[in-house]
Amino acid sequence: LCCQCGVPIPPNPANMCVGCLRAQVDITEGIPKQGTVHFCKQCERYLQPPGTWIQCALESRELLALCLKKIKAPLSKVRLIDAGFIWTEPHSKRIKLKLTVQKEVINGAVLQQVFVVEYVVQSQMCEDCHRIEAKDFWKAVVQVRQKTVHKKTFYYLEQLILKHRLHQNTLRIKEIHDGLDFYYSSKQHAQKMVDFLQCTVPSRSKSSQRLISHDIHSNVYNYKSTFSVEIVPICKDNVVCLSPKLAQSLGNMSQICVCIRVTSTIHLIDPRTLQIAEIDGNTYWRHPFNSLFHPKQLEEFIIMDINRVHEKKKGAGAGARSNKHTLAEAWVRKTSELDTDHQYFCCTHLGHILNPGDLVLGFDLANCNLNDEFANKMNPQHIPDVVLIKKSYDRSRRQRRRNWKLKELERDREASDTDDERQYQDFLEDLEEDETIRKNVNIYRNADIPVESDTDDDGAPRISLAEMLEDLHISQDATGGEGAEMLT
């Protein structure tokens, strides 16, 4: 019989029934039944004391561990058997845990008890979000500069940053006339950005720091760091003049070359021999060279006659040749001089896409004043009259049928002008024409523009649907908003 109430029971060390035992002993005594957790609304993270903020989904293992650590010391006196969540409304600011514990009580009897701990979710802004809200509270800045009039390299960099999600740690991105400034809350994030830039574009960097404050008691220094990254001032479709020493080291190339691509290296091609070379950042800064022309100086030519050269004898020590281009000899005439008989003869690397009657953009070296230290010392016979850059297509028509789009970084812009829009369209056309650059860029399908038939195609390069990603748009109905049907 139970020694308290006299009810017949199976024998146990305490000689009491379960009801009397629970009335006499509460094994959950000392364990708090209420608590608080701190939640940042901006970044949706929870505070794990003393100063760590972690990402947790509702009813996840991470959130369960976070809540149990709040009562870790009192729980050490009992044996935790089970723990789980009791469902609460997501907007109720309440998290309820159902815990099952055991403890040895009077005379070795083991008592098991189930109880509920309720947590109140309190809003508190984390330090990172404080700095983002302050906007000017930054610890490190990365200043990216390129001394050119064209922003093609920056448009390419923007897409690389978006693809690899390197913009997530930035407090602010500010656009200025010759580059971008990235602001960070820690020096490590800024250093990571500098390392990424040096791996993706040919550049050089230097850093400096300024002392803001110093605590003499704890010997803590507070610095603001500045990283300066200078990108080589060469863009795609630039005509460059190499130094004789550099041209010789690249396999006796011609000094006058065309830049066909800028990735982690500068890709050059000799339009007279199809010889190609790659120049990394270190080589460029040891043997610097400049672009001979600005993109605004491109002139339009018409192909009068063209002959493809299938056999070209290699010179002594010549390097690799391009397999994607075809060497050709062409007679061209400026579209502005069609009323004259003045024609120009040139060698071009665009023999695979040019035919008589085609329009092509190029630079006129015969009637220009070159202000370049290497070009002025060259033998005039070795300087071509015309360098053809790319085939010309109807730009307005290409814009109308462009059924794809790119994402952009959120940044503080200066007042944009029509020249910026023209340069952006140039970059989009480069993506259509160059598959190698396109592989590094996320291209999204634009559902607003219908897909045209290819019957009236003028031969302009286009991006296939297989290369486009579907842009994900989550509407309120899709997330189960008010009045929405249940998704199956």
Side-chain angles (χ1 to χ4, degrees):
L1 300 178
C2 173
C3 66
Q4 292 287 332
C5 60
V7 176
I9 57 168
N12 62 54
N15 250 358
M16 281 192 240
C17 66
V18 175
C20 294
L21 197 58
R22 283 182 176 161
Q24 292 280 332
V25 181
D26 181 15
I27 64 173
T28 65
E29 187 179 2
I31 301 176
K33 307 299 188 295
Q34 288 186 333
T36 58
V37 291
H38 294 93
F39 177 72
C40 178
K41 290 182 179 179
Q42 274 75 9
C43 60
E44 298 183 348
R45 294 186 299 175
Y46 290 88
L47 174 63
Q48 181 174 331
T52 308
W53 292 84
I54 58 174
Q55 199 90 29
C56 300
L58 284 174
E59 300 194 5
S60 64
R61 295 176 63 181
E62 293 81 8
L63 186 58
L64 182 63
L66 178 72
C67 294
L68 289 176
K69 284 180 181 177
K70 293 270 187 182
I71 53 174
K72 184 178 180 180
L75 270 181
S76 62
K77 299 175 182 177
V78 296
R79 184 180 174 191
L80 182 64
I81 301 300
D82 187 33
F85 287 96
I86 298 176
W87 188 87
T88 55
E89 174 65 35
H91 304 291
S92 66
K93 301 290 185 183
R94 296 290 185 275
I95 298 174
K96 291 186 178 181
L97 292 188
K98 182 181 178 182
L99 305 181
T100 305
V101 295
Q102 285 182 351
K103 188 178 181 182
E104 189 175 319
V105 289
I106 306 169
N107 297 329
V110 177
L111 186 63
Q112 180 170 309
Q113 195 169 337
V114 178
F115 66 103
V116 176
V117 180
E118 180 178 321
Y119 292 92
V120 179
V121 181
Q122 293 185 350
S123 297
Q124 178 179 328
M125 189 179 288
C126 66
E127 292 182 3
D128 295 337
C129 293
H130 260 300
R131 289 169 181 161
I132 293 172
E133 288 296 315
K135 289 195 175 179
D136 290 329
F137 193 92
W138 50 271
K139 289 286 185 70
V141 59
V142 179
Q143 299 173 337
V144 188
R145 300 289 183 268
Q146 187 183 30
K147 297 175 182 177
T148 59
V149 296
H150 207 288
K151 297 181 179 179
K152 279 185 183 180
T153 309
F154 282 107
Y155 291 132
Y156 176 62
L157 263 182
E158 178 183 22
Q159 298 305 317
L160 287 178
I161 291 170
L162 284 167
K163 182 171 183 176
H164 296 282
R165 300 178 179 273
L166 280 172
H167 61 291
Q168 291 183 330
N169 295 322
T170 55
L171 301 178
R172 179 188 178 200
I173 302 175
K174 184 179 179 182
E175 180 179 335
I176 60 174
H177 65 282
D178 59 349
L180 293 171
D181 288 348
F182 297 88
Y183 294 89
Y184 292 93
S185 58
S186 71
K187 185 179 179 180
Q188 288 77 15
H189 291 152
Q191 185 64 56
K192 184 179 177 182
M193 183 65 169
V194 172
D195 295 341
F196 173 78
L197 291 173
Q198 290 182 332
C199 293
T200 50
V201 288
S203 58
R204 62 179 176 183
S205 65
K206 57 183 179 181
S207 61
S208 63
Q209 57 185 14
R210 180 163 57 96
L211 181 65
I212 303 300
S213 60
H214 174 212
D215 186 352
I216 58 173
H217 301 291
S218 59
N219 204 28
V220 173
Y221 293 83
N222 183 18
Y223 288 103
K224 277 194 174 183
S225 303
T226 301
F227 295 88
S228 175
V229 180
E230 184 181 357
I231 303 174
V232 296
I234 304 296
C235 293
K236 185 181 183 295
D237 297 337
N238 282 165
V239 177
V240 299
C241 184
L242 309 179
S243 65
K245 186 177 180 180
L246 179 59
Q248 185 179 8
S249 67
L250 296 175
N252 289 330
M253 288 184 73
S254 171
Q255 287 184 246
I256 304 291
C257 295
V258 178
C259 176
I260 54 175
R261 193 180 302 118
V262 177
T263 54
S264 57
T265 56
I266 304 170
H267 297 253
L268 299 178
I269 188 169
D270 183 354
R272 298 202 293 182
T273 61
L274 292 191
Q275 191 173 329
I276 55 175
E278 295 184 13
I279 300 175
D280 59 7
N282 293 331
T283 306
Y284 176 84
W285 298 116
R286 284 199 305 269
H287 306 281
F289 51 87
N290 297 313
S291 173
L292 298 180
F293 298 96
H294 298 312
K296 291 180 181 179
Q297 294 172 286
L298 276 170
E299 296 187 69
E300 194 174 56
F301 295 85
I302 186 168
I303 303 293
M304 307 305 295
D305 189 20
I306 187 167
N307 296 315
R308 288 165 182 81
V309 180
H310 299 290
E311 293 293 333
K312 181 76 173 178
K313 187 178 179 181
K314 270 195 173 186
R321 287 186 180 178
S322 172
N323 297 323
K324 296 182 179 180
H325 299 85
T326 302
L327 187 62
E329 296 176 343
W331 287 94
V332 298
R333 183 184 293 180
K334 286 186 184 179
T335 53
S336 59
E337 298 177 354
L338 288 178
D339 54 342
T340 66
D341 295 332
H342 195 185
Q343 292 188 13
Y344 301 91
F345 175 79
C346 64
C347 292
T348 179
H349 59 289
L350 303 175
H352 57 297
I353 57 173
L354 294 182
N355 294 299
D358 285 346
L359 295 177
V360 61
L361 297 175
F363 294 109
D364 179 10
L365 279 76
N367 302 310
C368 69
N369 292 323
L370 290 178
N371 186 17
D372 185 82
E373 58 173 326
F374 303 128
N376 293 337
K377 296 175 183 178
M378 283 182 65
N379 187 341
Q381 295 179 354
H382 295 161
I383 299 178
D385 292 340
V386 171
V387 177
L388 301 182
I389 300 299
K390 59 182 179 179
K391 190 175 178 180
S392 177
Y393 300 97
D394 185 355
R395 166 166 282 189
S396 59
R397 187 174 180 180
R398 290 179 76 171
Q399 283 183 245
R400 283 198 308 270
R401 71 177 191 184
R402 187 172 288 139
N403 58 341
W404 54 274
K405 59 185 178 181
L406 301 175
K407 291 191 174 180
E408 296 184 8
L409 287 172
E410 293 184 7
R411 55 186 184 268
D412 300 339
R413 296 176 178 270
E414 291 183 336
S416 59
D417 52 13
T418 55
D419 192 42
D420 288 347
E421 179 62 27
R422 182 187 64 80
Q423 293 178 15
Y424 188 65
Q425 292 301 324
D426 286 344
F427 172 68
L428 298 182
E429 290 174 6
D430 289 345
L431 282 182
E432 291 176 334
E433 294 166 7
D434 195 339
E435 185 180 354
T436 308
I437 295 181
R438 212 157 57 221
K439 290 178 181 177
N440 301 327
V441 175
N442 284 344
I443 297 170
Y444 297 91
R445 185 179 174 187
N446 190 355
D448 299 334
I449 299 177
V451 180
E452 291 186 1
S453 63
D454 294 336
T455 54
D456 56 347
D457 196 1
D458 59 351
R462 300 179 71 173
I463 297 179
S464 62
L465 288 173
E467 297 179 73
M468 300 181 196
L469 302 172
E470 291 289 344
D471 199 2
L472 183 62
H473 292 288
I474 301 178
S475 61
Q476 186 180 5
D477 291 344
T479 55
E482 191 174 350
E485 296 181 4
M486 189 173 71
L487 300 176
T488 57

